[in-house]
Amino acid sequence: MMSAQVAPAARESRIGDSALAARLRREVEGEVLFDAFSRGRYSTDASIYQIEPIGVVVPRSGADIVRIIQIAADEGVPVLARGGGTSQCGQTVAEAIVVDVSKHLARVKDFDPEARRITVQPGLVLDHLNSHLKPYGLMFPVDVSTGSRATIGGMAGNNSCGARSLAYGTMRDNVRSIDAVLADGEEMHFGQMPATGNGADLSPRGRELVSGLIELGRREAGEIAARFPKVMRRVGGYNIDSLAGNRPPNLSHLLVGSEGTLAFSTSIELELQPIPAHKVLGVCHFPSFYQAMDSARHIVALGPTAVELVDRTMIELSRDIPLFRRTVADLVKGAPAALLLVEFAGEDRGEQLAKLRQLGELMEELGFSGAVVDAVDPDFQKAIWEVRKAGLNIMMSMKGDGKPVSFIEDCAVGLEDLADYTERLTQVFHKHGTTGTWYAHASVGCLHVRPVLNLKLEADAKKMRAIAEEAFAMVREYKGSHSGEHGDGLVRSEFHEAMFGPRMTRAFEAVKDGFDPEGLFNPGKIVRPPKMDDRSLFRFKPGYRSEAIETGLDWSDWGGFAGAVEMCNNNGACRKRDAAVMCPSFRVTGDEQHVTRGRANSLRLALSGQLGPEALTGDAMAETMKLCVGCKGCRRECPTGVDMARMKIEFLHQYGRRHGLDLRERLIGHLPRLAPWAARLAPLLNLRDGLPGLALLSEKLVGFSARRKLPRWRRDSFRAARAVGPIDGREVVLLVDTFNRYFEPENLKAALAVLAAGGYRIHLPRPVSGSRPLCCGRTFLSVGLVENARAEARRVLESLRPFVERGVPVIGIEPSCLLTLRDEFKALLPGRETAALAEAALLFEEFLTREQQAGRLALDLKPIGPARALLHGHCHQKAFGVMPSVEQVLALVPGLEVETVPSSCCGMAGAFGYGAETYDISIKMAELSLLPALRASGKDVLWVADGTSCRHQIADALERPARPVARVLEAALAQPYEGDLHG
């Protein structure tokens, strides 16, 4: 039997990896990835551990899975099933063949809405499942916070629970059957055993396995009753309690929570629940953490579906995350030490509102008068739950080497002991010189708690061990469970003997050996584990250090470039595939390489020397970063603050210093400096898309796709005096960007007309030094020419200084350019002057909205032709939270109905969509949601898009223009400004 964390054969097989990879490529249809970068990307999950796999296979079918397992058995190599890779206890890392089911094995196989049952492949993501079920009024009720990327296979492997387990139970309570592959490649159905017989239809191997399990359950029934914790949240060890008792067992329940150590699931049958017709939420405020914990048992007596904790640390960190700032402001009153989110759900709205009133009365009785914020609006409730769902990642957004560490993450105790347990555990943290963060499931006594430690330090690794031993002893004293939701993995498997006793631990081993006698499925988890504090398994192993490089951008807020990269804790929020902002390249490819997490992992491994010399500026890293479109979605949506758009600029800077730039990159980067000359040659340059053969020639010579029209140069480029508009009008500055100046000058003229009609005096500053027009440096940044961008930033600061010093707003109409002043300028030229400019810089719509709210906007607008507008937001508008302002400004047009397309990146992304090698990906990004929505809108609908790139993508793909907001407002002016807009 196995006695080590990894099978010896696996260690020896590394010599023959190339032969193993070659065999897999011959016999398996899916992708086989054995290169160093791919192995590195799959060496971590959301835990503290890092173990490099032997290789990665992304199967295309169930037949692929069977063949992979058969090959692994032949070669004596371990196999690890992986879905979203978000495990917090190290379940999805091992020296094994990692089999990623999330890309291709994510379909519904069978669905019976009347019976409320569905059978799915293991790679299907929870949120996608619920989207499929919603039209039928059904849902899968195990609502884990990682539902946007958690796969059903992973949830079954972990026995996931979710916020509403008080009402719906755990995965075990909601799984009916599982089809799986055993370690020798045999396929077997696991479900409810018949009342008589042990499965005559099974193979000899199956009958032997089942009879052994039934006998084990009968033999160990007494020990199971004595040793298994009596709390609902018990997900540790194997569910052999399902084998005990008088009723025939459901054998799928033994696979649930087994962490892929017993069999490889290929399809999972689930029980469904109706979506509650009505929900209400009460947010209870408490002056002390202890009082919140002590009150939970009283609140649960009211019959809520969920009672979730948010502590002071999470509240404060949430305020610093743009995505959650507004919600927290509406949610939190005063300065509470803790909140309890109490949800009531059901078919009768009146009944739920009555429950909410009872909650307020109960809080009064407990001594907390006026301490409940009612949330009855569904959108407000959704926003609050989004904050709570991001709890773990919000906690991990702490900058610096010290991070909240998951190892006693989800211990569970009875509600009557919860307040005392948390108080005593806090004292343990203080004893070891640290503090803890708390959140999650107060309703079931399972709080997610993470002490803040720096696991790069040996001393803190020892603290982790000491805290774990004291915490687990306390949990056992309260008759609770070490594992209440996130499973065992590498963190807690070591402690099973203390939790369950020697006899139960041997029983777990017997189950493992019956299923997997060679120990090839996910070794080292649940049985025969390594020490939880074996630092050779840590992400930050002894001697870990990152290379100190001379960076182009300022990374001091993170303690350096490496510190910024290390903010990625592998939580996988970037893997969501809905129509929000991030991550567009992953949404198209489904590849770990092309998601923010995959890029961050690659950068971290390269910076720390784990991918070999000069990996940071090698071709493999260039391929890794290639499809990042710089949308800044991660800047807004990554809960730990990973800004891959900025990291790509740094990478391109480093790569360019080593390799130089090709002709296309030089043309793109230097576009603002070439533009004045190009405008003079507009008729000649525009022949590229007019004369047959020239587009193809430009593709061969420069790399611009022949299938893409280039922007048309204008000889009538934008020109205006230093200031226009009413002499006595309120002062503003209009930033004239390169793209609109030379390609669409009518957009700038429209902005001038609207501002002047509103009574503003518009300054159009010219450079103090040099004759070239001012430029934000965006194009230089897009190809890594950081020093050139810095020079442009200095010119902008110099020219705008007089206006910024006297508080004049700086307005722009091109989002990527104006928002560069708010973002990248601070990394190019950090300091007070840049910060002041960032405060003054406003998009056109932001300025108008602010003026309207202040009662200063005096625009007289009339209805325009189309009564309906479809709005596509530029990625940077979405990343900076500007879209509400855009919608509000368009709503000023009388009678105009505005609908925002729920779209991610349009796919053009500056020069990205023009590349011959990225054209197809660009179109696929547009086809995810934007282009289908526009096609379906009809000819009498106005299309609105502020981004130059967005408008070009739409025009190229659909041969119909979209307008920026400035031109929509210009068309709606009832009384256009009659003065001279050219000075």
Side-chain angles (χ1 to χ4, degrees), residues 395-405 434-435 437 450-457 460 540 566-567:
M395 297 301 191
M396 296 302 291
S397 66
M398 291 182 181
K399 293 178 180 177
D401 288 336
K403 294 284 193 298
V405 179
T434 187
T435 58
T437 61
R450 292 188 165 209
V452 178
L453 298 168
N454 177 9
L455 291 186
K456 293 179 180 178
L457 305 177
D460 278 23
F540 302 117
E566 289 168 6
M567 288 298 293

Side-chain angles (χ1 to χ4, degrees), residues 183-355:
D184 60 1
E186 181 175 331
E187 298 178 72
M188 185 171 170
H189 178 76
F190 293 84
Q192 181 65 51
M193 292 293 295
T196 58
N198 283 342
D201 58 336
L202 297 174
S203 68
R205 165 86 168 96
R207 284 196 296 272
E208 178 187 6
L209 176 62
V210 170
S211 62
L213 294 173
I214 298 297
E215 171 57 24
L216 184 145
R218 183 198 61 77
R219 183 179 70 244
E220 301 297 342
E223 188 73 1
I224 290 169
R227 300 300 309 217
F228 273 49
K230 302 302 186 292
V231 293
M232 189 193 79
R233 287 301 196 92
R234 191 231 22 105
V235 301
Y238 292 125
N239 290 326
I240 60 175
D241 57 322
S242 66
L243 304 172
N246 297 323
R247 294 188 301 173
N250 185 323
L251 293 180
S252 70
H253 294 172
L254 192 60
L255 295 188
V256 174
S258 66
E259 302 183 0
T261 62
L262 302 182
F264 197 122
S265 301
T266 54
S267 66
I268 304 165
E269 183 186 11
L270 306 170
E271 291 190 4
L272 307 174
Q273 297 293 335
I275 298 172
H278 302 286
K279 294 179 182 178
V280 296
L281 187 64
V283 182
C284 302
H285 291 55
F286 295 91
S288 78
F289 185 85
Y290 185 92
Q291 290 169 315
M293 295 301 92
D294 190 50
S295 300
R297 56 197 170 107
H298 303 294
I299 292 173
V300 166
L302 296 177
T305 50
V307 182
E308 295 288 293
L309 167 70
V310 174
D311 80 345
R312 176 180 286 146
T313 302
M314 185 169 162
I315 293 169
E316 295 306 318
L317 289 171
S318 299
R319 286 194 174 108
D320 291 334
I321 297 174
L323 189 61
F324 303 129
R325 190 173 294 136
R326 180 177 297 181
T327 301
V328 173
D330 294 337
L331 167 70
V332 181
K333 306 305 177 187
L339 306 175
L340 289 181
L341 313 181
V342 184
E343 180 188 82
F344 301 99
E347 298 306 305
D348 187 332
R349 179 172 173 79
E351 182 180 333
Q352 310 317 316
L353 292 173
K355 291 272 190 180

